[in-house]
Amino acid sequence: MSTTIDLEALGDSAAIPDRIARFPFPFPRDTYRYSTNVEPAGSVVETPVGGWGTHPVDVDGRYREDLAERTRILAEDPTRFQALPHMEIAQWDAMLTLMRMLTDAHPETFSLDGDGAARRFTNRALGVEQSFVFGDPSTLPEPPLLFVGRHLQEDVVLLDQREGALWGDAGLVTFAADWSLRFDVGMSFLQIHGPVPRVHTEGVIPRAQQFLMGLQPGRQYRRTNWSLSVDRLLDQSTETYPVWGRDRRLLAEGPLEDVGRRLNLRVEVQHLVRLGVSGAIMFLIRTYLLPFEDIARVPEWAERLCRVLEELPEDMADYKGITRTREPGVRWLRTYGGVRS
């Protein structure tokens, strides 16, 4: 059973575990509205208990666990990987770029050797060593984007630019938040975001597309997105709705004491990179989950999250799928999480 969080040890930074210290808390203010909220990537975002954002690919203590979950999902549903035929070069481009990113961020774990077309990629954490020739599919055991995706905790979507628009024409997405790559593949950027409330009348999506289409090769930007999630369930794709949709209802109907342990703030850190060879835009989506009982260990976060949830308009709460869970979340924060104002 949950009890009121003891906040007395918060002054000791050593008491804050890594999952909290590195968590990308997404709210700079007490209200939330859709915006492009894009900034250059690569700099650390400091928080009251740590920071995040050093690299566009992030390897943490859940690395093997998350990749095992990806492998399980792909075995059950291979359609989580999609690639239209004209995206072949973009796949190779993305694979090589991501291998370089992994090596730059974690040289003790990853390496990429060779130059020209012939390369060798090594992942010491998984015990994988793979030689390949860029552009030659016979030198890899599976398509390039699928191969490299087995070494990342991020989901990856590749956007092709043509006809004055962006198109979601390839991707590996096993940890979606209430959407389906299989359904969206081949759609335009505007079509993909069609159901999002307010963003079209306020011009957010057209502005975002114009910004992305102006990205120069090698430039990296990032943004965050968020929702609420019951338990540490990374896969909340449309295909698995019967599982996580039921859990939201059961949490809302269950004991308030369980909410702090089971209800998570789900945050996506999304990186946007223009690839140099193919010209495609690579969209990386890394998902972080932190239960409310951990949020409550940082009083500034608990206060702000409570205010955001209370103020969020109904149409936005409905689209984010938090209509059932935000009210018990607010009640738990005020009853057990130390929020008084």
Side-chain angles (χ1 to χ4, degrees):
M1 178 180 292
S2 295
T3 58
T4 301
I5 299 296
D6 181 3
L7 304 176
E8 302 220 346
L10 284 172
D12 179 8
S13 60
I16 300 299
D18 196 56
R19 68 180 181 275
I20 302 176
R22 296 178 58 179
F23 185 70
F25 189 76
F27 305 119
R29 56 189 65 86
D30 291 344
T31 60
Y32 174 83
R33 295 293 185 274
Y34 289 114
S35 67
T36 51
N37 75 315
V38 174
E39 64 181 15
S43 60
V44 175
V45 179
E46 295 183 354
T47 73
V49 290
W52 61 275
T54 306
H55 301 288
V57 289
D58 183 29
V59 174
D60 63 19
R62 294 189 180 273
Y63 181 71
R64 290 183 179 85
E65 177 186 342
D66 288 355
L67 292 187
E69 177 68 356
R70 171 162 288 160
T71 297
R72 182 194 68 79
I73 292 167
L74 285 169
E76 292 182 358
D77 184 2
T79 68
R80 304 300 185 91
F81 168 73
Q82 296 284 331
L84 300 185
H86 68 275
M87 297 298 285
E88 181 77 14
I89 293 300
Q91 284 197 64
W92 286 97
D93 198 2
M95 184 185 79
L96 198 59
T97 300
L98 288 166
M99 288 176 173
R100 289 172 177 147
M101 286 180 174
L102 287 168
T103 299
D104 289 345
H106 304 281
E108 73 287 352
T109 302
F110 305 96
S111 61
L112 181 63
D113 302 309
D115 52 22
R119 304 292 182 107
R120 182 175 69 252
F121 174 69
T122 302
N123 180 338
R124 297 174 188 86
L126 300 182
V128 173
E129 184 172 303
Q130 178 69 47
S131 297
F132 62 92
V133 176
F134 186 93
D136 183 351
S138 69
T139 60
L140 284 178
E142 54 194 346
L145 189 61
L146 183 55
F147 175 80
V148 76
R150 297 186 188 274
H151 300 270
L152 305 166
Q153 288 168 271
E154 287 79 7
D155 285 327
V156 188
V157 175
L158 300 181
L159 303 173
D160 189 32
Q161 184 169 330
R162 63 182 187 276
E163 302 170 8
L166 297 172
W167 304 81
D169 287 348
L172 172 61
V173 179
T174 55
F175 307 141
D178 200 5
W179 64 283
S180 168
L181 176 67
R182 178 173 59 191
F183 180 79
D184 286 354
V185 69
M187 288 187 178
S188 72
F189 189 79
L190 298 182
Q191 290 170 334
I192 290 170
H193 292 90
V196 184
R198 298 175 181 242
V199 295
H200 298 280
T201 57
E202 297 173 9
V204 173
I205 297 303
R207 286 199 305 272
Q209 178 170 252
Q210 288 302 311
F211 173 81
L212 291 173
M213 290 172 63
L215 279 183
Q216 297 302 305
R219 298 296 300 274
Q220 301 176 7
Y221 288 83
R222 70 185 175 208
R223 67 183 299 272
T224 59
N225 195 15
W226 69 277
S227 61
L228 301 180
S229 172
V230 179
D231 298 329
R232 194 177 189 279
L233 188 63
L234 286 169
D235 180 16
Q236 294 194 2
S237 63
T238 307
E239 289 86 346
T240 59
Y241 175 79
V243 175
W244 52 266
R246 175 202 61 207
D247 290 343
R248 291 190 307 196
R249 175 179 56 81
L250 293 176
L251 180 84
E253 296 173 353
L256 182 63
E257 291 88 348
D258 292 347
V259 170
R261 173 180 55 85
R262 297 194 62 197
L263 188 61
N264 288 255
L265 177 58
R266 179 185 180 110
V267 177
E268 294 177 353
V269 176
Q270 304 171 351
H271 278 84
L272 311 161
V273 182
R274 172 77 75 176
L275 299 175
V277 174
S278 63
I281 292 175
M282 182 169 65
F283 185 42
L284 301 175
I285 310 167
R286 175 61 190 280
T287 299
Y288 300 84
L289 294 163
L290 194 67
F292 273 42
E293 63 182 10
D294 280 343
I295 296 287
R297 298 183 65 179
V298 187
E300 298 97 319
W301 288 359
E303 294 275 356
R304 178 149 288 172
L305 175 59
C306 188
R307 293 190 188 109
V308 167
L309 292 178
E310 286 179 320
E311 193 276 338
L312 192 71
E314 289 293 335
D315 61 337
M316 295 178 66
D318 185 60
Y319 175 74
K320 285 184 172 292
I322 66 171
T323 300
R324 285 183 179 270
T325 53
R326 71 161 165 173
E327 190 273 336
V330 167
R331 283 198 293 125
W332 187 91
L333 289 168
R334 292 198 174 277
T335 304
Y336 299 108
V339 176
R340 298 289 179 260
S341 60

